[in-house]
Amino acid sequence: PGFTTAVLQYDRRIRLNSMLIDSSNVLKRPDLHRMMEMAAQKLRLMGGTVELVDIGEQELPDGQTLALPKVVTAQFGNDPNKHTVCVYGHVDVQPAKLEDGWATDPYNLTDINGNLYGRGASDNKAPVLAWIHAVEAYQALNMELPVNVKFVIEGMEETGSNGLDAMILAQRDTFFSDVDYIIISDCGWLSRRPALTYGTRGNCYFYAEVEGPKQDLHSGVYGGTVIEPMTDLVGILGECIFSGKILIPGIREAVAPLSDEEWRMYQDIQFDIDNYKNKIGVNELMYSNKVDLLAHMWRYPTVSIHGIEGAFSDPGTKTVIPAKVTAKFSIRQVPNMDPAMVKKQVTDYLHSVFAKRKSPNKLKVTMVIGAKPWLADTQHPLYDAGKAAVKRVFDMDPDLIREGGTIPIARTFQDVTGKSIIMMPIGGFDDGLHSQNEKMSRYNYIEGTKLFVAYLNEVSQIKHTSV
Amino acid sequence: PGFTTAVLQYDRRIRLNSMLIDSSNVLKRPDLHRMMEMAAQKLRLMGGTVELVDIGEQELPDGQTLALPKVVTAQFGNDPNKHTVCVYGHVDVQPAKLEDGWATDPYNLTDINGNLYGRGASDNKAPVLAWIHAVEAYQALNMELPVNVKFVIEGMEETGSNGLDAMILAQRDTFFSDVDYIIISDCGWLSRRPALTYGTRGNCYFYAEVEGPKQDLHSGVYGGTVIEPMTDLVGILGECIFSGKILIPGIREAVAPLSDEEWRMYQDIQFDIDNYKNKIGVNELMYSNKVDLLAHMWRYPTVSIHGIEGAFSDPGTKTVIPAKVTAKFSIRQVPNMDPAMVKKQVTDYLHSVFAKRKSPNKLKVTMVIGAKPWLADTQHPLYDAGKAAVKRVFDMDPDLIREGGTIPIARTFQDVTGKSIIMMPIGGFDDGLHSQNEKMSRYNYIEGTKLFVAYLNEVSQIKHTSV
């Protein structure tokens, strides 16, 4: 009871860190190292036991190696009579450029009408800071933490968490040995109603490269005599999906059927279709009813073609026959798909439709990411504690939702540590992750901090036997 | 007789101008203005009557306007008893970057084993200079020019010759009124044998834009609920061409049938298929016999997909659903295709295949270039003079060839002035126009200059009645 009021007093102290580092840009790597050092220093100053864990190097496509940003681990409290939670977060961000269509400088946090705009504001800076503030809140009020709190903070999430899997495996019997529960807040609500997340889709990301002439050719001079790689590539991509139906054999067959229970659960979830349409600016979605939409967002696979490397992509005209073109596309993974099987299905299918073209060009299909989906048991005490904390702070029940995106680390934590995981989002449904004008509202930031404070208290009351 | 020997003495004076300006880069426009001024000054110093003709402004996509580079006109001699030829050339170049795969700096002319490497070396700097040297050769030897020689030199050829059509139309009854023949050397040989060119393909260049959400979306979060513009675009592009066969109704039907005479002519042309394959680095071409290859290079249409703007085109992975994507593709035009008809055929067809997808996205098809093909009469005295000049300099008969690329200005000269046109290339068959490592050999540059000197002499002997 006392702490909710107390946390309110703490409100005005919280602030967002404006140092936003795009982890995909290798030129910014020194800044990323500084960012990790800043995060470590912050946790040290709060009295945590902090380590900057070296996770080795990254190999670049040109063969050069580059040091990965260290992973920050921290520990607050080590009372063996208390539960120990481990909070995971990341401090790197997606790329962003003002000219992509941002209304404000994406790298300069800007407060407009209670919304804090900036790249990474919601993904994942504010949630990480809210967890830090939750610990600070107990400290500021001279209250003992009800559970031991550990942090794992990385700087490569946006480019595939390179090195983190190995680090978790290496520290399974040390840093992670006394962890009871893992908490991830790298996601968002579905509506204005708070939510707990119990599943994510995985992702198989493919490169399909078609190579023909040894160099780009003038389309006037050579057009008509060579079989163009771009024509081949567009042709085979066009056979992968039609109006949302995946045409690659075996993909749809592997998907777990929608149960009646799920159907009923989806029916009860608060989801405003018109609002969703307005937000993304379309008149018509792939499906017109709520259950189909939620199911295809969360528990069915989808194919997205992201773009083509090697072709002409600038404004204006160029009369070129590109010599080597590489399509980037991905298939979101759901139970019971298996990335190794999907790799084979996609590779075999693309080669078979390519073979029908009888092209002398060379096709190479590579799966560069193969991340499994993750699914939790919503009946677990960890989720009961989450429901109670939401009730306490927001005075309502949370929606139980899944996430269409991929948080591969959830699956790794589950597979390596065997511990239970909960995803507890505080980001708004309209925060624009990975998109232009990403933001975090002050409301979600502050109430989210309170939620975390309350949650630590609820988790402390889970009976040890039920772990 | 005397002048061939004399020209040999002139050999060592010739040199390539290393100022190579990419006309598509608006930031380089001041350099392009300087380039035109340099060309004008060169012709002035030779004693020509020179004008820098203002051709107005260009409107950029953002609505800004930018002064077009002036067109240089020059005149040497105005004897009404002589024929007057007008040489057309351009001094702008295609874009080039060292990292595209150049072995040498593309903007620094580099001599390696008698080849002069640099962007624009063959397209179109050396031919323009060779014409200038041809006039200089007569001057250096104190020989009177056998014909009056005019020059039209522009700086926007590589981006569509903006403003030139209007300038030609405006000066039809002034600068062009006394011109008898127009000579263009903006093309190349087909083999080591010299050639005269009697036709070019035109080009209809299209943008197909598919627009969906109002901004880019995260493919994990939104994938499965929105109909993705990229899927639609790839799908409709894939229905335009299959293994070299154009699927757009009406296109193939409009093409003039291959005559027996053409077939025989193509049979006699020197064309080394293996060499051609090696040059472009492919094992297999669209056709395996010479006549089919030449015909599809010169007198059949072809579809090239150049690339897609608005999608993810960088190295690495990005999990984005692009909101608006624009395919750039072009169809080479041949007799008897009509660009206005092709525009309708392409637009109607794309909309019809798009309609079958029942997508809520918006498709917009725009034809941004619509250039007609050009075809000359090889029995014209202008071509007889060309054959004689080739015989004189190279001691062999030229191949009569066509050009797969587009030189829209040929068609404009023909339509506006009604004068006969000849294309007289001096570039090598392996010069790599618009490609990496473009070059001009010293051999072609020097012998080409001699060819022009000889040609002026041959043209002077055309009987006036035969014009």
Side-chain angles (χ1 to χ4, degrees), chain A residues 307-440:
Chain A
I308 295 172
E309 183 183 346
F312 175 61
S313 58
D314 293 336
T317 60
K318 188 178 179 188
T319 50
V320 66
I321 299 173
K324 186 167 88 172
V325 285
T326 306
K328 316 283 179 77
F329 66 95
S330 64
I331 304 179
R332 291 287 155 178
Q333 305 293 298
V334 298
N336 302 311
M337 291 167 73
D338 170 35
M341 180 58 74
V342 169
K343 179 181 174 180
K344 186 175 162 17
Q345 287 162 340
V346 169
T347 306
D348 289 353
Y349 179 70
L350 285 181
H351 277 287
S352 77
V353 294
F354 185 71
K356 285 191 200 137
R357 305 183 72 87
K358 303 197 190 307
S359 168
N361 297 322
K362 285 179 282 294
L363 169 67
K364 195 169 89 183
V365 181
T366 323
M367 187 171 88
V368 295
I369 299 175
K372 292 178 182 174
W374 165 78
L375 202 59
D377 173 9
T378 57
Q379 305 303 315
H380 191 281
L382 204 52
Y383 279 82
D384 291 336
K387 292 168 201 167
V390 168
K391 186 84 182 172
R392 181 155 209 171
V393 174
F394 295 97
D395 195 26
M396 62 176 95
D397 294 321
D399 276 335
L400 286 171
I401 66 172
R402 285 160 77 162
E403 180 70 35
T406 306
I407 307 168
I409 201 62
R411 183 71 193 213
T412 302
F413 278 129
Q414 188 166 70
D415 291 351
V416 173
T417 70
K419 306 299 176 183
S420 292
I421 298 164
I422 186 169
M423 288 201 190
M424 183 170 280
I426 62 167
F429 71 100
D430 55 356
D431 280 358
L433 315 188
H434 292 212
S435 184
Q436 297 91 332
N437 302 313
E438 178 179 351
K439 59 94 177 154
M440 164 65 76

Side-chain angles (χ1 to χ4, degrees), chain B residues 128 301 409:
Chain B
V128 168
I409 201 61

Side-chain angles (χ1 to χ4, degrees), chain A residues 269-297:
Chain A
I269 287 174
Q270 187 176 323
F271 180 68
D272 182 337
I273 294 180
D274 285 335
N275 192 304
Y276 186 81
K277 285 201 275 194
N278 286 342
K279 183 171 59 164
I280 60 185
V282 298
N283 297 322
E284 195 184 324
L285 295 165
M286 191 82 82
Y287 306 93
S288 54
N289 71 81
K290 184 169 75 174
V291 171
D292 272 336
L293 279 173
L294 294 178
H296 282 87
M297 200 186 291

